[in-house]
């Protein structure tokens, strides 16, 4: 079995060592132009030339959950595209969202500012029933986040493409239900894939439907958010602020207004990181299953784009 590694912005050596150790009989290499075609590839945003050189590859294993960068390329027509299926990401995402939610809800930043000035002051307790949390995207990550938020006894709503029944989550499905979902939501969490249907979905028209004083936790992709619309709604006072992990341009350019905005918290696309050992174990398991003709989880539906 020949395996090629082609990952932009990722050091290939540890992946090479891990894959080779797990599959000693395989020929694993880091791609260079003109290398022999592979049976399988481990990829992140690979250049088009790599894909053009693999017309008969069996599967492309994306080392992230989101496949938007890959779906923008011309892919070998027969290749399976396989996303990372949790592999340790959902618990990280649950931590991140719960942290951002509770920091906002309990006003910990304001307490920190008061304490920094030597002030022993109390704030009026907020009620959970006044803070319904709406999660856009109820997939691998969204469902785990919904469960974690529900553990803290917030009302939880979820929105997805297909209808779902999840304990403790008021589920909405399809475009027609988006206004009802948004108008009941105080804290909005975006965990959608970036597709033709979802690009720009966090815009003035949708965000203004959130309850007054609403808050955004955006952990999906920069392309979902119309950044100026968020700023306008915060400046007009309709939204209280946002925690943002993803941006139109990454790294966030120096001088971007988000860096210093008093109501926006920025993190550098780190809410759920790819964990190498878990990911290699998952990918190797799937390669072996495919070699035996068995189905694998996490295969991307190219028509839907996720
Ligand atoms: P997933 O399992 O594919 O789930 C996607 C969810 O979005 C599904 O519930 C799907 O609905 C829903 N959806 C897709 N298109 C929709 C539409 N047009 N309208 C309504 N709902 C729609 O994906 P995941 O593993 O949870 O990951 C979600 C995204 O998180 C990734 O694509 C990636 O962009 C992002 N991510 C970010 C980080 C980070 O560090 N910031 C890390 C990992 C992932 P159905 O259930 O009906 O199909
Ligand atoms: C990270 O953003 C991922 O899609 O895994």
């Amino acid at each position: 079995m020949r395996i090629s590694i082609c990952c932009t912005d990722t050091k290939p050596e540890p992946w090479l060592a891990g894959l080779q150790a797990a599959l000693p009989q395989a020929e694993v290499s880091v791609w260079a132009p003109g290398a022999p075609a592979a049976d399988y590839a481990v990829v992140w945003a690979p250049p088009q030339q790599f894909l053009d050189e693999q017309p008969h590859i069996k599967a492309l294993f994306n080392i992230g959950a989101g496949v938007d960068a890959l779906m923008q390329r011309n892919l070998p027509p027969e290749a399976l595209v396989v996303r990372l299926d949790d592999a340790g990401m959902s618990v990280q995402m649950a931590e991140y969202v719960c942290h951002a939610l509770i920091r906002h809800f309990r006003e910990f930043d304001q307490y920190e500012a008061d304490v920094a000035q030597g002030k022993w002051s109390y704030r009026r307790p907020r009620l959970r029933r006044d803070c319904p949390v709406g999660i856009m995207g109820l997939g691998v990550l969204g469902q785990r986040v919904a469960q974690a938020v529900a553990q803290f006894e917030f009302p939880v709503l979820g929105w997805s493409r297909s209808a779902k029944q999840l304990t403790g989550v008021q589920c909405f499905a399809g475009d027609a239900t988006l206004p009802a979902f948004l108008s009941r939501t105080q804290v909005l969490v975006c965990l959608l894939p970036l597709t033709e249907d979802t690009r720009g979905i966090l815009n003035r028209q949708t965000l203004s439907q959130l309850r007054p004083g609403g808050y955004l936790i955006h952990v999906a992709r920069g392309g979902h958010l119309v950044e100026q619309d968020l700023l306008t709604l915060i400046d007009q006072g309709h939204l209280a602020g946002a925690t943002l992990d993803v941006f139109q341009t990454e790294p966030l350019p120096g001088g971007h207004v988000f860096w210093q905005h008093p109501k926006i918290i920025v993190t550098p696309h780190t809410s759920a990181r790819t964990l190498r050992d878990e990911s290699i174990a998952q990918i190797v398991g799937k390669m072996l299953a495919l070699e035996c003709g068995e189905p694998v989880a996490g295969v991307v539906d190219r028509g839907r784009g996720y």
Side-chain angles (χ1 to χ4, degrees):
M1 184 197 305
R2 187 173 281 157
I3 301 169
S4 187
I5 301 170
C6 186
C7 300
T8 305
D9 295 335
T10 306
K11 263 201 222 152
E13 296 81 8
W15 288 88
L16 180 71
L19 287 161
Q20 193 65 81
L23 291 170
Q25 71 287 16
E27 204 180 299
V28 189
S29 59
V30 178
W31 177 76
D39 299 302
Y40 297 103
V42 174
V43 299
W44 182 254
Q48 186 60 47
Q49 185 183 354
F50 167 75
L51 297 163
D52 292 343
E53 289 182 10
Q54 315 293 329
H56 304 300
I57 197 158
K58 296 179 198 168
L60 300 164
F61 289 92
N62 189 58
I63 62 166
V67 291
D68 43 291
L70 196 50
M71 300 313 283
Q72 282 163 17
R73 310 281 197 267
N74 283 324
L75 299 175
E78 304 299 328
L80 289 181
V81 176
V82 188
R83 41 88 34 110
L84 271 191
D85 202 9
D86 195 336
M89 278 191 184
S90 71
V91 66
Q92 297 178 68
M93 195 54 97
E95 281 166 358
Y96 182 101
V97 171
C98 288
H99 176 268
L101 168 65
I102 292 166
R103 179 178 180 175
H104 165 66
F105 177 70
R106 294 290 305 273
E107 304 184 84
F108 283 132
D109 288 345
Q110 285 82 355
Y111 278 112
E112 197 176 312
D114 287 351
V115 167
Q117 293 180 33
K119 274 198 218 159
W120 181 275
S121 62
Y122 289 109
R123 309 184 81 80
R124 186 192 296 265
R126 292 172 164 177
L127 302 177
R128 282 172 165 61
R129 67 163 183 262
D130 294 335
C131 189
V133 178
I135 299 165
M136 299 177 98
L138 290 172
V140 174
L141 303 181
Q143 287 197 26
R144 179 69 180 255
V145 168
Q147 268 176 13
V149 169
Q151 284 289 314
F152 286 104
E153 301 181 11
F154 290 92
V156 183
L157 304 88
W159 183 69
S160 55
R161 212 159 79 132
S162 58
K164 308 222 180 298
Q165 286 196 322
L166 302 172
T167 308
V169 183
Q170 189 184 358
C171 293
F172 297 77
D175 290 346
T177 68
L178 186 56
F181 164 79
L182 292 171
S183 63
R184 289 166 174 76
T185 291
Q186 185 76 28
V187 173
L188 182 68
V189 179
C190 182
L191 269 168
L192 292 167
L194 184 62
T195 66
E196 286 314 303
D197 293 334
T198 65
R199 184 175 295 280
I201 195 167
L202 302 175
N203 57 46
R204 189 170 183 154
Q205 197 251 333
T206 51
L207 294 174
S208 63
Q209 293 176 56
L210 295 175
R211 290 161 48 128
Y215 192 84
L216 173 66
I217 300 173
H218 185 30
V219 280
R221 283 290 185 269
H224 290 120
L225 176 65
V226 182
E227 295 181 346
Q228 186 53 51
D229 288 1
L230 172 69
L231 288 166
T232 302
L233 288 167
I234 293 176
D235 292 346
Q236 289 175 347
H238 181 67
L239 297 183
T243 295
L244 306 176
D245 187 46
V246 289
F247 303 92
Q248 286 283 353
T249 305
E250 295 182 7
L252 187 63
H256 192 292
V257 62
F258 286 166
W259 283 112
Q260 300 296 339
H261 196 293
K263 296 184 174 167
I264 293 178
I265 294 166
V266 166
T267 56
H269 199 143
T270 197
S271 50
R273 302 287 293 274
T274 294
L275 302 180
R276 196 170 49 236
D277 291 351
E278 279 91 334
S279 304
I280 288 174
Q282 182 177 103
I283 290 169
V284 165
K286 289 182 182 183
M287 285 176 183
L288 294 174
L290 290 175
E291 284 298 286
C292 297
E294 293 165 9
V296 297
V299 174
V300 170
D301 177 333
R302 290 200 195 187
R304 291 186 320 189
Y306 69 96

